[in-house]
Amino acid sequence: MAEITAAMVKILRDKTDAPMMECKKALTEAGGDIDRAEEILRVKLGNKASKASSRIAAEGIVGVFVTDDRAQGALIEVNCETDFVAKNDDFLTFVSTLARLVVEKRPADVAALSALPLDGAKSVDQVRTELVGRIGENLSIRRFVRQESADAGITSYIHGGSKIGVLIDVAGADEGFARDLAMHIAAIKPVALSRAEVSAELIEKERSIAQQKAAESGKPAEIVAKMVEGSVQKFLKEVALLDQPFVKAEDGKT
């Protein structure tokens, strides 16, 4: 039997927000497999066990830059150690500068961005290192995304003290609606535009969890099959943007 360490329990708790004893039990049942233990907790505790699964275990902010003609835009996430530093003016300037650099220089990845010149002969990484020395905390460029639009429809939305960022391309829509849509995405967090675009891997994972839940009901196989299919369809409706109730709809439906 695999040894269940305190570090393993902490990792699972950080991913799921489940009680520590439940995490330990799930890890024991899963033989130390953290991914399997997370599924077990989903079966036992429902969606509460996954609400923190996408959280980053670090402070920091999301920076954004959109060109005036709305033809290009970028989001970038830069992490630090404390929320205090996430409000530091030098740190904020560094992040916003990087967002602009992503649009202007189109680096392929974080390594390429880090190698770009930023301050005279200094590279982005050299500037970052100097900033670490001044601030006294480690800083890391985690990820970025760049978007181009042939229809000049790039719109951004930053929420939660710059913790959540959305960048969308909406053709033919006025900027007000596009911003509302970006706000909806920040609040509801769809994983795909439509049901057809939800990954087969994610659907299969939800189907497996639904099957395990339904099997515990003790009902006949044909009823279990209907319960599973109903759960999967409910999941798809919840995660596909075009099927979600609009966050600003007065009737909660449209």
Side-chain angles (χ1 to χ4, degrees):
M1 180 180 294
E3 180 184 1
I4 307 304
T5 65
M8 294 165 66
V9 173
K10 183 178 185 303
I11 290 171
L12 186 59
R13 177 170 169 75
D14 287 344
K15 290 183 70 177
T16 65
D17 276 354
M20 292 185 68
M21 287 307 299
E22 292 294 334
C23 290
K24 186 173 182 179
K25 290 178 183 177
L27 282 165
T28 300
E29 184 178 338
D33 185 324
I34 291 178
D35 289 338
R36 173 58 185 152
E38 184 179 357
E39 286 192 15
I40 291 170
L41 288 174
R42 287 282 307 277
V43 172
K44 291 182 177 179
L45 304 178
N47 288 334
K48 291 180 182 179
S50 65
K51 67 180 181 179
S53 62
S54 62
R55 242 176 15 217
I56 303 303
E59 293 296 336
I61 64 169
V62 174
V64 61
F65 177 75
V66 177
T67 56
D68 291 340
D69 60 5
R70 297 174 60 199
Q72 298 183 71
L75 288 176
I76 187 165
E77 178 185 348
V78 182
N79 295 144
C80 56
E81 294 181 42
T82 65
D83 184 59
F84 177 77
V85 166
K87 299 173 183 177
N88 177 280
D89 286 342
D90 288 342
F91 178 70
L92 294 174
T93 299
F94 178 65
V95 175
S96 63
T97 300
L98 292 186
R100 176 186 288 270
L101 200 59
V102 167
V103 169
E104 294 177 347
K105 301 300 183 181
R106 305 184 180 187
D109 51 30
V110 170
L113 172 62
S114 298
L116 288 174
L118 180 59
D119 183 8
K122 297 176 184 177
S123 68
V124 166
D125 195 57
Q126 288 173 321
V127 173
R128 180 195 65 82
T129 301
E130 290 181 357
L131 190 56
V132 168
R134 291 203 305 275
I135 292 178
E137 279 193 15
N138 189 30
L139 310 175
S140 63
I141 304 169
R142 183 168 184 268
R143 55 184 172 175
F144 64 81
V145 63
R146 183 174 58 83
Q147 182 70 42
E148 295 185 11
S149 172
D151 301 295
I154 299 294
T155 300
S156 65
Y157 179 77
I158 300 294
H159 180 69
S162 297
K163 301 293 186 182
I164 299 172
V166 175
L167 194 69
I168 60 172
D169 179 8
V170 186
D174 66 72
E175 193 169 0
F177 171 75
R179 183 173 173 79
D180 283 348
L181 183 57
M183 180 182 67
H184 169 96
I185 293 170
I188 310 300
K189 300 177 179 62
V191 301
L193 179 64
S194 66
R195 297 187 186 199
E197 295 177 13
V198 178
S199 73
E201 180 182 0
L202 185 56
I203 294 173
E204 187 54 38
K205 181 177 181 179
E206 290 301 318
R207 188 181 299 279
S208 173
I209 291 169
Q211 287 172 337
Q212 293 174 69
K213 286 183 179 180
E216 293 182 353
S217 69
K219 294 182 179 179
E222 62 273 17
I223 300 299
V224 167
K226 291 181 179 179
M227 291 171 64
V228 170
E229 187 57 29
S231 293
V232 171
Q233 292 305 314
K234 181 175 182 292
F235 166 75
L236 290 173
K237 183 177 181 180
E238 290 173 347
V239 301
L241 174 62
L242 296 179
D243 284 326
Q244 292 176 335
F246 187 37
V247 72
K248 294 187 73 173
E250 293 183 1
D251 60 4
K253 298 179 181 179
T254 308

